[in-house]
Amino acid sequence: MAEIVGGFLMPHNPMLTVAPNAADPSKTRTIFDAFATISERVKALRADTVIVIGDDHYTNFGPHCIPACLIAIGDVDGPVEPFLNIERGAIENNAALATHILETGYEQGIDWSFAKSLTVDHSVAIPYHLAVRTVPGLKTIPVYLNAAVAPLLRSRRAYQIGESIGRAVRSWPGDERVVVYGTGGISHWVGSVGMGRINEAFDQQVLEMFSKGDIEGLIGLSDETILAEGGDGCLEIKNWICAMGAFPGATVEVMDYEAVPEWITGMGFAQVNMVA
Amino acid sequence: MSINAIEKALWQVSMDPVQAGRLREDPESYLQEFRLDEQERALMTNWDIRAIVDRGVHPMVLMMAFAAINGPDMAASYIQKVNTPVQVAS
């Protein structure tokens, strides 16, 4: 049976490749080192597939169709944004496992939308560029949650989707070793009033809740509270909550945190403590 | 406020350089394809960022469209615009 061997929470800030030299050098080093550390740990875990949980930014999905949750079960490439300074290229999927996750969800009440051919945006492309491409042979299953365009996916549902992903992987007859990345956050205001603000105190509160495995507390944070304290970009902790669903009862170890004004974001990294 | 129509107009611009070129060069012609009133067309033609956000238009698609029109170095200008409250005429 396939196994989930690790989980990580990380930012997907496009500024990392748009303006890599704009920030304080010491903070910059911390952040790029954190991605390198994740890459090394995923290598050591001998993982062969990563499920990257991100959210579209009203980019791929426009006013004509906003999926609540979507999984890519076929061809993947990216990034879709030309300004990321990342050359668009193919991203190898694990289509068989992705399809099994979808089918399992259908059996369990998760009505996935799906993409047969997806060009990912930065929410998958940045983690891919910094912590997937760096691990030879690692295949990518992109998952998109609607954490951006209201009416939003509920945080409890995000967690349930993660639980279903976990059950699907553990029931897959293949021998895959899977890691899960929850991406985005923490506080940042994306195009909205307040853009440029970072709320370090709120970020620390969020990290503390993840580190204790306080999922009910995180789900209990209303979208209004998150918007007020962490900005519209902070709603991406739904992606993190989803990732935690694949690790019932788990806590996390915070790896790093930096508030980076030049990149307009409070950026946190954590590793899931695997429950035996 | 025709939020849906504005978001559609912005989204097309953000994703399609041809549409971005049309809005840049002849906003009147581009915007007449959408169900907007005169005031809304004026807001978009003038890129009154804060006024558009205050009316409930999604800020991400607005920023992406603004970038498509003004180039990737627009961030400082956008931040200044979005954080400057609209002056109410006395």
Side-chain angles (χ1 to χ4, degrees):
Chain A
M1 286 292 178
E3 258 186 280
I4 301 186
V5 296
F8 297 88
L9 308 176
M10 69 193 73
H12 62 222
N13 188 343
M15 299 297 278
L16 288 164
T17 57
V18 170
N21 302 313
D24 171 82
S26 155
K27 292 183 179 185
T28 303
R29 201 173 314 114
T30 300
I31 286 164
F32 281 97
D33 283 354
F35 281 107
T37 300
I38 290 170
S39 303
E40 289 310 310
R41 291 182 184 176
V42 171
K43 277 184 209 168
L45 289 165
R46 293 180 289 109
D48 51 56
T49 300
V50 57
I51 298 165
V52 180
I53 299 162
D55 59 297
D56 190 57
H57 297 73
Y58 222 162
T59 305
N60 266 314
F61 312 133
H64 54 284
C65 182
I66 309 284
C69 63
L70 175 141
I71 187 163
I73 59 166
D75 298 342
V76 179
D77 70 349
V80 68
E81 305 101 319
F83 58 79
L84 285 181
N85 299 323
I86 300 173
E87 195 178 342
R88 188 181 292 189
I91 294 173
E92 193 180 0
N93 193 356
N94 184 335
L97 180 55
T99 304
H100 175 70
I101 292 169
L102 179 148
E103 298 278 5
T104 303
Y106 278 3
E107 294 299 323
Q108 300 178 347
I110 307 295
D111 296 323
W112 286 105
S113 296
F114 60 89
K116 297 175 79 171
S117 176
L118 179 69
T119 304
V120 298
D121 83 336
H122 67 267
S123 71
V124 171
I126 292 289
Y128 175 81
H129 189 68
L130 297 173
V132 179
R133 193 184 51 94
T134 47
V135 181
L138 191 62
K139 297 177 180 175
T140 305
I141 299 176
V143 165
Y144 273 90
L145 304 183
N146 177 20
V149 182
L152 300 160
L153 181 74
R154 305 293 189 260
S155 295
R156 183 169 300 286
R157 193 60 169 160
Y159 187 74
Q160 291 166 344
I161 291 166
E163 289 181 307
S164 179
I165 290 171
R167 287 193 293 265
V169 172
R170 295 185 182 101
S171 66
W172 176 240
D175 57 2
E176 279 90 341
R177 295 175 62 81
V178 177
V179 287
V180 180
Y181 292 175
T183 79
I186 308 173
S187 66
H188 60 304
W189 278 254
V190 188
S192 51
V193 176
M195 188 170 179
R197 181 183 168 205
I198 297 171
N199 187 345
E200 196 168 343
F202 187 68
D203 290 344
Q204 293 297 348
Q205 183 192 331
V206 166
L207 285 170
E208 177 75 9
M209 291 168 92
F210 276 101
S211 66
K212 288 181 179 158
D214 182 10
I215 299 302
E216 280 304 317
L218 287 158
I219 290 171
L221 289 173
S222 69
D223 292 344
E224 292 72 23
T225 299
I226 297 170
L227 274 167
E229 298 295 328
D232 48 349
C234 194
L235 291 162
E236 293 172 338
I237 63 174
K238 290 176 191 287
N239 305 338
W240 290 24
I241 291 170
C242 178
M244 294 304 290
F247 305 93
T251 58
V252 309
E253 200 71 46
V254 174
M255 296 167 61
D256 281 298
Y257 172 82
E258 294 286 359
V260 188
E262 299 85 353
W263 291 340
I264 62 160
T265 305
M267 298 167 72
F269 296 82
Q271 178 168 11
V272 175
N273 295 315
M274 300 299 289
V275 178
Chain B
M1 186 70 174
S2 316
I3 290 172
N4 298 333
I6 290 181
E7 291 185 359
K8 183 176 180 184
L10 291 169
W11 184 75
Q12 289 187 186
V13 163
S14 74
M15 292 302 287
D16 184 348
V18 174
Q19 302 303 329
R22 290 184 60 212
L23 178 57
R24 193 185 300 113
E25 277 144 38
D26 189 355
E28 208 163 303
S29 154
Y30 177 74
L31 293 172
Q32 76 180 8
E33 292 172 14
F34 303 91
R35 292 182 213 167
L36 306 172
D37 64 27
E38 202 174 319
Q39 190 191 20
E40 292 161 352
R41 275 196 293 272
L43 285 175
M44 288 191 62
T45 305
N46 298 329
W47 291 100
D48 288 335
I49 297 294
R50 179 60 178 265
I52 296 171
V53 168
D54 284 349
R55 284 163 192 243
V57 169
H58 199 286
M60 290 181 193
V61 75
L62 176 61
M63 184 174 69
M64 291 294 286
F66 186 77
I69 296 296
N70 296 288
D73 296 331
M74 58 79 217
S77 157
Y78 182 93
I79 289 171
Q80 193 261 331
K81 280 173 177 280
V82 80
N83 287 324
T84 305
V86 175
Q87 297 291 320
V88 180
S90 54

